[in-house]
Amino acid sequence: MTNLLLSLATTPERAMRLVALALDLHGPDNKDVMQVQVCAEGVITFSELELPGSNHELMPERRFQSVRVWLNGSVDRADLIKEFCLQGGKIASSAEAAHLLVADPQELATVEKLWPRKLVISLAEFEARLIVDSLRPIRVSTGAPGALPKALRGIWNQLRSGSVMQIIDGLNAFSDLAAVDGRTAEIILKEVGVNADTGTLILGNRFQRANEAANPHLLYALLGLLSRSQKDSRGALLRQAVRKLKQAVPPCLSSRDSPPCRS
């Protein structure tokens, strides 16, 4: 399992923020906790980097041990805070005392500017990447998939119709819903995950019934949902985590000479 803070250094800017955090924690001359090398191509390599949470492999149930998070004033999610603390994390009393800052998307740029030497992520990434973990389903079910909110039922009926034209209509409706109520829209992806070892999609019972072959129309619909998911959402994180994909093309799309699909 990758160190929590190190796993967030997904861009050069975040990597430099992580370096700044380590320097502030241990001092610029402490070579026992950090060694950084930069090659001619500009690739940064951490040969040694001691960060909070580095001992999580000894206690996987406490994987956030010693990690202090500060939540921007507008962030209020008691359920996420409780889960984070149960796994060893701490809520910092101030941004200065924290290792990781969490902000609403609208305030992300402001917080990043105020704290250039801290890792800053959105509330959606905190939920999906840290607490929920984008590499596994939120809810694993061995029976029928759970009921969907009313706003998603019509969309799901279109996505499972077996008609490409209706699936596209359903994807358009999903995009509209995600733009105004992303949290509700993403419920349809609750059982979808990504295998951490192979990088392949875990479809869940909604998109693949138990003991049945994968349905190419449902796979087509699922990939459409992931491609249309909003930035920093669970769907976007799932999309980024997929490294290997094998999908059969729906029959009506497998040949240029095929007639249009009809509902």
Side-chain angles (χ1 to χ4, degrees):
M1 187 185 297
T2 305
N3 174 272
L4 170 63
L5 299 176
L6 191 60
S7 72
L8 295 171
T10 54
T11 66
E13 181 188 353
R14 285 189 175 189
M16 296 312 298
R17 285 175 178 269
L18 191 65
V19 170
L21 172 64
L23 289 172
D24 291 343
L25 286 172
H26 304 294
D29 299 322
N30 194 335
K31 296 182 180 179
D32 292 334
V33 296
M34 183 177 66
Q35 293 183 20
V36 181
Q37 296 176 332
V38 183
C39 70
E41 292 76 19
V43 177
I44 301 173
T45 302
F46 302 106
S47 53
E48 283 190 50
L49 186 61
E50 186 174 324
L51 294 167
S54 292
N55 295 324
H56 63 276
E57 291 184 359
L58 302 177
M59 297 184 296
E61 72 282 2
R62 305 279 291 176
R63 61 184 181 136
F64 302 142
Q65 187 75 34
S66 304
V67 178
R68 295 193 301 271
V69 167
W70 177 80
L71 294 93
N72 180 260
S74 59
V75 175
D76 183 17
R77 289 291 302 279
D79 56 334
L80 298 184
I81 294 171
K82 179 180 178 181
E83 180 64 25
F84 180 72
C85 292
L86 284 174
Q87 297 192 52
K90 302 291 183 183
I91 303 302
S93 58
S94 66
E96 185 173 9
H99 306 124
L100 177 66
L101 312 184
V102 178
D104 273 334
Q106 298 87 346
E107 301 174 15
L108 197 61
T110 300
V111 176
E112 286 177 335
K113 187 174 181 180
L114 285 172
W115 300 99
R117 299 178 68 83
K118 301 282 187 181
L119 278 171
V120 185
I121 63 173
S122 69
L123 175 60
E125 187 171 0
F126 182 68
E127 178 177 9
R129 187 158 189 166
L130 308 188
I131 305 303
V132 169
D133 190 346
S134 65
L135 298 183
R136 60 182 174 84
I138 297 175
R139 179 170 60 85
V140 179
S141 173
T142 56
L148 290 170
K150 185 177 180 181
L152 280 169
R153 291 172 196 165
I155 294 173
W156 173 239
N157 286 336
Q158 290 176 307
L159 295 179
R160 66 177 181 175
S161 65
S163 159
V164 171
M165 297 307 294
Q166 285 199 43
I167 291 172
I168 291 173
D169 288 341
L171 292 174
N172 290 335
F174 172 83
S175 297
D176 293 340
L177 177 62
V180 297
D181 188 357
R183 186 171 296 176
T184 296
E186 297 265 304
I187 290 174
I188 202 169
L189 298 173
K190 246 188 171 183
E191 294 186 353
V192 178
V194 176
N195 185 296
D197 296 321
T198 64
T200 55
L201 273 172
I202 299 170
L203 302 182
N205 283 347
R206 185 171 303 283
F207 292 93
Q208 181 176 355
R209 301 293 187 266
N211 302 319
E212 291 185 10
N215 183 315
H217 286 90
L218 284 179
L219 283 173
Y220 176 72
L222 174 56
L223 295 180
L225 293 175
L226 297 182
S227 70
R228 292 170 183 242
S229 293
Q230 300 286 306
K231 182 181 178 181
D232 292 330
S233 67
R234 174 175 174 76
L237 293 172
L238 286 168
R239 182 177 68 229
Q240 294 164 11
V242 174
R243 303 192 306 275
K244 186 177 180 181
L245 184 64
K246 182 179 180 181
Q247 183 199 354
V249 178
C252 59
L253 294 181
S254 61
S255 171
R256 293 181 181 178
D257 300 325
S258 297
C261 291
R262 297 187 181 183
S263 56

